[in-house]
Amino acid sequence: MVVVRDLRLMISTALAVGLTATLGLTVSTEPRATATAAAPVQATVKQQVARPKWVYLTFDDGPSARYTAQILKILQAYHVRATFFEVGQNIKRYPAITRRVDQLGHSVQNHSWSHPNLTKVSWPTFKYQVRTTDRYLKAQTGYTPRCLRPPYGATNRVVAKRAAMLGKKLTLWTVDPADWSRPGTSVIVRRVLAKVRSGSVVLMHDGGGNRSQTVAALPKILKALKARGYLFYPLWCH
Ligand SMILES: [Zn+2]
């Protein structure tokens, strides 16, 4: 991920330099007074291009027959790609929804088979939880997920070691609006917008209960983040 970030910074810096050079050429043909007036515009363009901001939206506990499709529709309307940490037994129940999430360009990743606290399970159970989910997920998407999000964010050194042994990268989050507790749509929106920074991983839920507030909050969050210049990327853990 570090490599990708650096690459993006390099590209955006190159773009900024290119734009500045183009503007510089245009400005140099103008009378001196105009050139001076144009300078702040040039600085503004450079600032916007040189500072890319991005965020990783993640949705846990699906697929859900009721809410996943609604979330997909909103993401599609805003041309945003996200990551879905799915629970294996839900994939088994709704395989077509997992397939749809993948077909729309989102990342589908592993959130265990039945959502146990992974710090409290044996090694055979851990393996079963991860590998069975991998198998059902791959049957729909064609790939084996590299990210593992431990249920409840419960992790320790043993969980980290076991995840690594199965080729997984543990993936937590940095912004948690606790949308699952249904604090109200406006509270969810406010919590996300107050805490989000470039590189943030935002935790929300499309499965596991009534997610109508999350669905209602999502367009407002996307609109506000787009207005702030954020880009949206899925997580792959490569
Ligand atoms: Zn979960």
Coordinates of all heavy atoms in Angstrom, one line a residue, residues 77-127:
A77 N -24.1 5.2 -8.1 CA -24.5 6.5 -8.5 C -23.4 7.5 -8.3 O -23.3 8.5 -9.1 CB -25.7 6.9 -7.7
Y78 N -22.5 7.3 -7.3 CA -21.5 8.3 -7.1 C -20.1 7.8 -7.6 O -19.1 8.4 -7.4 CB -21.3 8.5 -5.5 CG -22.4 9.4 -5.0 CD1 -23.6 8.9 -4.6 CD2 -22.2 10.7 -4.8 CE1 -24.6 9.7 -4.1 CE2 -23.1 11.6 -4.3 CZ -24.4 11.0 -4.0 OH -25.4 11.9 -3.5
H79 N -20.2 6.7 -8.4 CA -18.9 6.2 -9.0 C -17.8 5.9 -8.0 O -16.7 6.3 -8.2 CB -18.4 7.1 -10.1 CG -19.4 7.5 -11.1 ND1 -19.9 6.6 -12.1 CD2 -20.2 8.6 -11.3 CE1 -20.8 7.1 -12.8 NE2 -21.0 8.3 -12.4
V80 N -18.2 5.3 -6.9 CA -17.3 5.0 -5.8 C -17.1 3.5 -5.7 O -18.1 2.7 -5.7 CB -17.9 5.6 -4.5 CG1 -17.2 5.1 -3.3 CG2 -17.7 7.1 -4.6
R81 N -15.9 3.1 -5.5 CA -15.6 1.7 -5.2 C -15.2 1.5 -3.7 O -14.5 2.3 -3.2 CB -14.5 1.2 -6.1 CG -15.0 1.0 -7.5 CD -14.0 0.4 -8.4 NE -14.5 0.4 -9.8 CZ -13.8 -0.1 -10.8 NH1 -12.6 -0.6 -10.6 NH2 -14.4 -0.2 -12.0
A82 N -15.7 0.4 -3.1 CA -15.5 0.2 -1.7 C -15.0 -1.2 -1.5 O -14.8 -2.0 -2.4 CB -16.8 0.5 -0.9
T83 N -14.9 -1.6 -0.2 CA -14.5 -3.0 0.2 C -15.6 -3.6 1.1 O -16.1 -2.9 2.0 CB -13.2 -2.9 1.0 OG1 -12.3 -2.2 0.2 CG2 -12.7 -4.3 1.3
F84 N -16.0 -4.8 0.8 CA -17.0 -5.5 1.5 C -16.4 -6.7 2.3 O -15.9 -7.6 1.6 CB -18.1 -6.0 0.6 CG -19.0 -4.8 0.1 CD1 -18.5 -4.0 -0.9 CD2 -20.3 -4.6 0.6 CE1 -19.3 -3.0 -1.4 CE2 -21.0 -3.6 0.1 CZ -20.6 -2.7 -0.9
F85 N -16.4 -6.6 3.6 CA -15.8 -7.7 4.4 C -17.0 -8.6 4.7 O -17.9 -8.3 5.6 CB -15.2 -7.2 5.7 CG -13.8 -6.6 5.4 CD1 -13.7 -5.2 5.2 CD2 -12.7 -7.4 5.4 CE1 -12.5 -4.6 4.9 CE2 -11.4 -6.8 5.1 CZ -11.3 -5.4 4.9
E86 N -17.1 -9.7 4.0 CA -18.3 -10.6 4.1 C -18.1 -11.8 5.0 O -17.0 -12.3 5.2 CB -18.7 -11.0 2.7 CG -19.1 -9.8 1.8 CD -19.7 -10.2 0.5 OE1 -19.6 -11.4 0.1 OE2 -20.4 -9.4 -0.1
V87 N -19.2 -12.2 5.6 CA -19.2 -13.3 6.5 C -19.6 -14.5 5.6 O -20.6 -14.5 4.9 CB -20.3 -13.1 7.6 CG1 -20.5 -14.4 8.4 CG2 -19.9 -11.9 8.5
G88 N -18.7 -15.6 5.8 CA -18.9 -16.8 4.9 C -20.2 -17.4 4.8 O -20.8 -17.7 3.7
Q89 N -20.9 -17.5 6.0 CA -22.2 -18.2 6.0 C -23.2 -17.3 5.3 O -24.2 -17.9 4.7 CB -22.6 -18.6 7.4 CG -22.8 -17.4 8.4 CD -23.0 -17.9 9.8 OE1 -22.9 -19.1 10.1 NE2 -23.4 -17.0 10.7
N90 N -23.0 -16.0 5.2 CA -23.9 -15.1 4.4 C -23.7 -15.3 2.9 O -24.6 -15.1 2.1 CB -23.8 -13.7 4.9 CG -24.3 -13.5 6.3 OD1 -25.0 -14.3 6.8 ND2 -23.9 -12.4 6.9
I91 N -22.4 -15.5 2.6 CA -22.1 -15.7 1.2 C -22.7 -17.0 0.7 O -23.3 -17.1 -0.4 CB -20.5 -15.8 0.9 CG1 -19.8 -14.5 1.4 CG2 -20.2 -16.1 -0.5 CD1 -18.3 -14.6 1.4
K92 N -22.7 -18.0 1.5 CA -23.3 -19.3 1.2 C -24.8 -19.1 1.0 O -25.4 -19.7 0.1 CB -23.1 -20.3 2.3 CG -23.6 -21.7 2.0 CD -23.5 -22.6 3.2 CE -24.0 -24.0 2.8 NZ -24.0 -24.9 4.0
R93 N -25.4 -18.2 1.7 CA -26.9 -17.9 1.6 C -27.2 -17.1 0.4 O -28.3 -17.3 -0.2 CB -27.3 -17.3 2.9 CG -28.8 -17.4 3.2 CD -29.2 -17.0 4.6 NE -30.6 -16.8 4.7 CZ -31.3 -16.2 5.6 NH1 -30.5 -15.6 6.6 NH2 -32.6 -16.1 5.7
Y94 N -26.4 -16.1 0.2 CA -26.7 -15.1 -0.9 C -25.5 -15.0 -1.9 O -24.9 -13.9 -2.0 CB -27.0 -13.7 -0.3 CG -28.1 -13.7 0.7 CD1 -27.8 -13.4 2.1 CD2 -29.4 -14.0 0.4 CE1 -28.8 -13.4 3.0 CE2 -30.4 -13.9 1.3 CZ -30.1 -13.6 2.7 OH -31.1 -13.6 3.6
P95 N -25.2 -16.1 -2.5 CA -24.0 -16.0 -3.4 C -24.1 -15.0 -4.6 O -23.1 -14.4 -5.0 CB -23.9 -17.5 -4.0 CG -25.3 -18.1 -3.8 CD -25.8 -17.4 -2.5
A96 N -25.3 -14.8 -5.1 CA -25.5 -13.9 -6.2 C -25.2 -12.5 -5.8 O -24.8 -11.7 -6.6 CB -27.0 -14.0 -6.7
I97 N -25.4 -12.2 -4.5 CA -25.1 -10.8 -4.1 C -23.6 -10.6 -4.0 O -23.1 -9.5 -4.5 CB -25.8 -10.5 -2.7 CG1 -27.3 -10.7 -2.8 CG2 -25.5 -9.1 -2.3 CD1 -28.1 -10.5 -1.5
T98 N -22.9 -11.6 -3.5 CA -21.4 -11.5 -3.5 C -20.9 -11.3 -4.9 O -20.0 -10.5 -5.2 CB -20.9 -12.7 -2.9 OG1 -21.3 -12.8 -1.5 CG2 -19.3 -12.7 -2.9
R99 N -21.5 -12.1 -5.9 CA -21.1 -12.0 -7.3 C -21.3 -10.6 -7.8 O -20.5 -10.0 -8.5 CB -21.9 -13.0 -8.1 CG -21.2 -13.4 -9.4 CD -21.6 -14.8 -9.8 NE -23.0 -14.9 -10.0 CZ -23.8 -15.8 -9.4 NH1 -23.3 -16.6 -8.4 NH2 -25.1 -15.8 -9.6
R100 N -22.4 -10.0 -7.5 CA -22.8 -8.7 -7.9 C -21.8 -7.6 -7.4 O -21.4 -6.7 -8.1 CB -24.2 -8.3 -7.5 CG -24.7 -7.0 -7.9 CD -25.3 -7.0 -9.3 NE -25.8 -5.7 -9.7 CZ -25.5 -5.1 -10.8 NH1 -24.7 -5.7 -11.6 NH2 -25.9 -3.9 -11.1
V101 N -21.5 -7.7 -6.1 CA -20.5 -6.8 -5.5 C -19.2 -6.8 -6.2 O -18.6 -5.8 -6.6 CB -20.3 -7.2 -4.0 CG1 -19.2 -6.3 -3.4 CG2 -21.6 -7.1 -3.2
D102 N -18.8 -8.0 -6.6 CA -17.5 -8.2 -7.3 C -17.6 -7.6 -8.7 O -16.7 -6.9 -9.2 CB -17.2 -9.7 -7.4 CG -16.0 -10.0 -8.3 OD1 -14.9 -9.5 -8.0 OD2 -16.2 -10.7 -9.3
Q103 N -18.7 -7.9 -9.4 CA -18.9 -7.5 -10.8 C -18.9 -6.0 -10.9 O -18.5 -5.4 -11.9 CB -20.2 -8.0 -11.3 CG -20.1 -9.5 -11.8 CD -21.4 -10.2 -12.0 OE1 -22.5 -9.6 -11.8 NE2 -21.4 -11.4 -12.6
L104 N -19.3 -5.3 -9.8 CA -19.4 -3.8 -9.9 C -18.0 -3.2 -9.5 O -17.9 -2.0 -9.4 CB -20.5 -3.3 -8.9 CG -21.9 -3.5 -9.4 CD1 -22.9 -3.2 -8.3 CD2 -22.2 -2.7 -10.7
G105 N -17.0 -4.0 -9.3 CA -15.7 -3.5 -9.1 C -15.2 -3.3 -7.7 O -14.2 -2.7 -7.4
H106 N -16.1 -3.7 -6.8 CA -15.7 -3.5 -5.4 C -14.8 -4.7 -4.9 O -14.8 -5.8 -5.6 CB -17.0 -3.5 -4.5 CG -17.9 -2.4 -4.9 ND1 -17.6 -1.1 -4.7 CD2 -19.1 -2.5 -5.5 CE1 -18.6 -0.4 -5.2 NE2 -19.6 -1.2 -5.7
S107 N -14.1 -4.5 -3.8 CA -13.3 -5.6 -3.3 C -14.1 -6.4 -2.3 O -14.8 -5.8 -1.4 CB -12.1 -5.0 -2.6 OG -11.3 -6.0 -1.9
V108 N -14.1 -7.7 -2.4 CA -14.8 -8.6 -1.5 C -13.7 -9.3 -0.6 O -12.8 -10.0 -1.2 CB -15.7 -9.6 -2.1 CG1 -16.5 -10.4 -1.1 CG2 -16.6 -9.0 -3.2
Q109 N -13.8 -9.1 0.7 CA -12.7 -9.7 1.5 C -13.3 -10.5 2.7 O -14.5 -10.5 2.9 CB -11.8 -8.5 2.1 CG -11.1 -7.7 1.0 CD -10.1 -8.6 0.2 OE1 -9.4 -9.4 0.8 NE2 -9.9 -8.3 -1.1
N110 N -12.4 -11.2 3.4 CA -12.8 -12.2 4.4 C -13.1 -11.6 5.8 O -12.3 -10.9 6.4 CB -11.6 -13.2 4.5 CG -12.0 -14.5 5.2 OD1 -12.7 -14.5 6.2 ND2 -11.5 -15.6 4.7
H111 N -14.3 -11.9 6.3 CA -14.6 -11.5 7.7 C -15.1 -12.7 8.5 O -15.9 -12.5 9.4 CB -15.8 -10.4 7.5 CG -16.1 -9.7 8.8 ND1 -15.1 -9.2 9.7 CD2 -17.2 -9.2 9.3 CE1 -15.7 -8.6 10.7 NE2 -17.0 -8.6 10.5
S112 N -14.4 -13.8 8.2 CA -14.7 -15.1 8.9 C -16.0 -15.8 8.5 O -16.7 -15.2 7.7 CB -14.7 -14.9 10.4 OG -16.0 -14.5 10.9
W113 N -16.1 -17.0 8.9 CA -17.3 -17.8 8.5 C -18.6 -17.5 9.3 O -19.6 -17.3 8.7 CB -17.0 -19.3 8.6 CG -18.2 -20.1 8.2 CD1 -19.0 -20.8 9.1 CD2 -18.7 -20.4 6.9 NE1 -20.0 -21.5 8.3 CE2 -19.8 -21.2 7.0 CE3 -18.2 -19.9 5.6 CZ2 -20.5 -21.6 5.9 CZ3 -19.0 -20.4 4.5 CH2 -20.1 -21.2 4.7
S114 N -18.4 -17.4 10.6 CA -19.6 -17.2 11.5 C -19.5 -16.1 12.5 O -20.2 -16.0 13.5 CB -20.0 -18.5 12.2 OG -18.9 -18.9 13.0
H115 N -18.5 -15.2 12.3 CA -18.3 -14.0 13.1 C -17.9 -14.3 14.6 O -18.5 -13.6 15.5 CB -19.5 -13.1 13.0 CG -19.2 -11.6 13.1 ND1 -19.2 -11.0 14.3 CD2 -19.0 -10.7 12.2 CE1 -18.9 -9.7 14.1 NE2 -18.8 -9.5 12.8
P116 N -17.0 -15.2 14.8 CA -16.6 -15.4 16.2 C -15.5 -14.4 16.6 O -14.9 -13.8 15.8 CB -16.0 -16.8 16.2 CG -15.4 -16.9 14.8 CD -16.3 -16.1 13.9
N117 N -15.2 -14.3 17.9 CA -14.1 -13.6 18.4 C -12.9 -14.5 18.2 O -12.7 -15.5 18.8 CB -14.3 -13.3 19.9 CG -13.1 -12.5 20.5 OD1 -12.0 -12.6 19.9 ND2 -13.4 -11.7 21.5
L118 N -12.0 -14.1 17.2 CA -10.9 -15.0 16.8 C -9.8 -15.1 17.9 O -8.9 -16.0 17.8 CB -10.3 -14.5 15.5 CG -11.2 -14.6 14.3 CD1 -10.5 -14.0 13.0 CD2 -11.6 -16.0 14.0
T119 N -9.8 -14.3 18.9 CA -8.9 -14.4 20.0 C -9.2 -15.6 20.9 O -8.5 -16.0 21.8 CB -8.7 -13.1 20.9 OG1 -10.0 -12.9 21.6 CG2 -8.4 -11.9 20.1
K120 N -10.5 -16.1 20.7 CA -11.0 -17.2 21.6 C -11.2 -18.5 21.0 O -11.8 -19.4 21.5 CB -12.3 -16.7 22.3 CG -12.1 -15.4 23.1 CD -13.4 -15.1 23.8 CE -13.4 -13.8 24.5 NZ -12.3 -13.6 25.5
V121 N -10.7 -18.7 19.7 CA -10.9 -20.0 19.1 C -9.6 -20.7 18.9 O -8.5 -20.1 19.0 CB -11.5 -19.8 17.7 CG1 -12.9 -19.0 17.8 CG2 -10.6 -19.0 16.7
S122 N -9.7 -22.1 18.7 CA -8.5 -22.9 18.5 C -7.9 -22.7 17.1 O -8.6 -22.1 16.2 CB -8.9 -24.4 18.7 OG -9.8 -24.7 17.6
W123 N -6.7 -23.2 16.9 CA -6.1 -23.1 15.6 C -6.9 -23.8 14.5 O -7.2 -23.3 13.4 CB -4.7 -23.6 15.7 CG -3.9 -23.7 14.4 CD1 -3.2 -24.8 14.0 CD2 -3.8 -22.7 13.3 NE1 -2.6 -24.5 12.8 CE2 -2.9 -23.3 12.3 CE3 -4.3 -21.5 13.1 CZ2 -2.6 -22.6 11.1 CZ3 -4.0 -20.8 11.9 CH2 -3.1 -21.4 11.0
P124 N -7.5 -25.0 14.8 CA -8.3 -25.7 13.7 C -9.6 -24.8 13.4 O -9.9 -24.7 12.3 CB -8.7 -27.0 14.4 CG -7.6 -27.3 15.3 CD -7.2 -26.0 15.9
T125 N -10.2 -24.3 14.4 CA -11.4 -23.5 14.2 C -11.0 -22.2 13.4 O -11.7 -21.8 12.5 CB -12.0 -23.1 15.5 OG1 -12.4 -24.3 16.2 CG2 -13.3 -22.2 15.3
F126 N -9.9 -21.6 13.8 CA -9.4 -20.4 13.1 C -9.3 -20.7 11.6 O -9.8 -20.0 10.7 CB -8.1 -20.0 13.7 CG -7.6 -18.6 13.2 CD1 -7.7 -17.5 14.0 CD2 -7.0 -18.4 11.9 CE1 -7.2 -16.2 13.6 CE2 -6.6 -17.2 11.5 CZ -6.7 -16.1 12.4
K127 N -8.6 -21.8 11.3 CA -8.3 -22.2 9.9 C -9.7 -22.5 9.2 O -9.8 -22.0 8.1 CB -7.5 -23.5 9.9 CG -6.0 -23.3 9.9 CD -5.2 -24.5 9.6 CE -5.3 -25.6 10.7 NZ -4.3 -26.6 10.5

